[in-house]
Amino acid sequence: MGQAKAYAVMSPTTPFQPWTFDRREPGDKDVRIEIAFCGICHSDLHQARDEWGGSKFPMVPGHEISGRVTQVGKKVRKFKAGDLAGVGCLVDSCRKCENCRRGLEQHCAGPVAFTYNGFEKDGKTPTQGGYSSHVVVDEAFVLKIAAGAPLERTAPLLCAGITTYSPLKRFGTRKGTRVGVLGLGGLGHMGVKLAAAMGAEVVVLSGSAAKKADGKRLGAHDFVLTSDAAAMAKSAGRLDLIVDTVSAPHDIGAALGLLKIGGTLALVGASPKPLELPAFPLIMARRQVAGSLIGGIAETQEMLDFCAKKKVFADVEVIPPAGINAAYDRLVKGDVRYRFSIDLSKL
Ligand code: NAP
Ligand code: ZN
Ligand code: ZN
């Protein structure tokens, strides 16, 4: 066993504290990664504070991991010591069910191992995430990061990147597609950059007037303040697709009104409380609401390769591990431009 240093929460109501725990030694197909940076996703906060229910403690969150390979098992083919590597929300799946065979490992019928707050495929060893010194993962679930990529800005691609890339691709984003990104946080700012890189005309839909200039800088063509009724009315019926990243209950009907006939709202934000879905904005314009969960392993690699080619990376504020508690408080207030990235070399 190798001891990993980490920051963990012991309960939903206590702050992060330093903690050590055992990780397995690399097996034949495992890759050991020294973690350089880990992004703070709002899903980490939902789970650390048990807002979705069913959280397991102690918990080391973190599923936006970037780092360097330090050791590989003797049957590993894709990686060697020294390579840059990433780990996202999944560390294993059954690899046999229909969804796994279709590259949708995130929807595996089980056993499936999420990076933390879950169990390894044995169903009993708790998984622990990237707010830690190193991680050991089967090479099939390790992503390649291009040499020279900025690791602090690449880490957030492993969740915020793929979670917005996947619905953008699925709903046909290309040159000229009109895409709205609702909520300009960690996911939202990646959604703007990725949609713009795909050639879309991007509109930021935000509740924060102060983010207007950022929207343009990130590549958006327009900005609509969702609380401004006149601006919302002017934008009605204009968008092909909305990627909804809002982390709390919000007016989904108002957003639907911005879609063209037959347009799609792809919901990725995971509000702990149900959203109200009004019938009329949906039926009167044959619109649709779809859900989307991260992305499969092959699609995550495709996204990383796309980002390397287009030079798309997250905008981050690098923090030391001791700053995680303060960062969580700021995340709740929407005070982050646009992702906290933890420097694990400071553990
Ligand atoms: P984040 O950085 O906190 O951004 C969320 C944004 O939503 C905020 O910046 C804010 O944008 C808006 N917002 C927050 N509270 C709001 C409220 N009460 N009413 C209206 N707007 C509000 O969070 P994130 O890391 O991007 O994650 C966003 C959500 O996606 C979370 O629920 C997370 O769990 C979920 N998620 C889902 C997946 C998936 O696979 N489906 C993957 C990762 C994360 P404005 O200031 O612009 O309004
Ligand atoms: Zn996430
Ligand atoms: Zn499966």
Side-chain angles (χ1 to χ4, degrees), residues 41-43 46 52 159 163 183-187 206-208 211 245-250 268-271 292-294 331 339:
C41 178
H42 207 114
S43 300
H46 287 311
W52 292 337
C159 177
T163 300
L184 194 62
L187 264 57
S206 169
S208 306
K211 293 180 181 172
T245 73
V246 175
S247 53
H250 58 286
V268 294
S271 168
S292 193
L293 177 69
I294 46 174
L331 187 60
R339 203 55 143 184

Side-chain angles (χ1 to χ4, degrees), residues 8-11 13-17 325:
V9 274
M10 299 297 154
S11 84
T13 52
T14 46
F16 279 90
Q17 61 185 74
N325 289 309

Side-chain angles (χ1 to χ4, degrees), residues 182-197:
L182 182 56
L184 194 62
L187 264 57
H189 97 291
M190 285 312 310
V192 171
K193 288 186 183 216
L194 289 166

Side-chain angles (χ1 to χ4, degrees), residues 195-208:
M198 291 173 192
E201 197 181 303
V202 187
V203 182
V204 171
L205 310 168
S206 169
S208 306

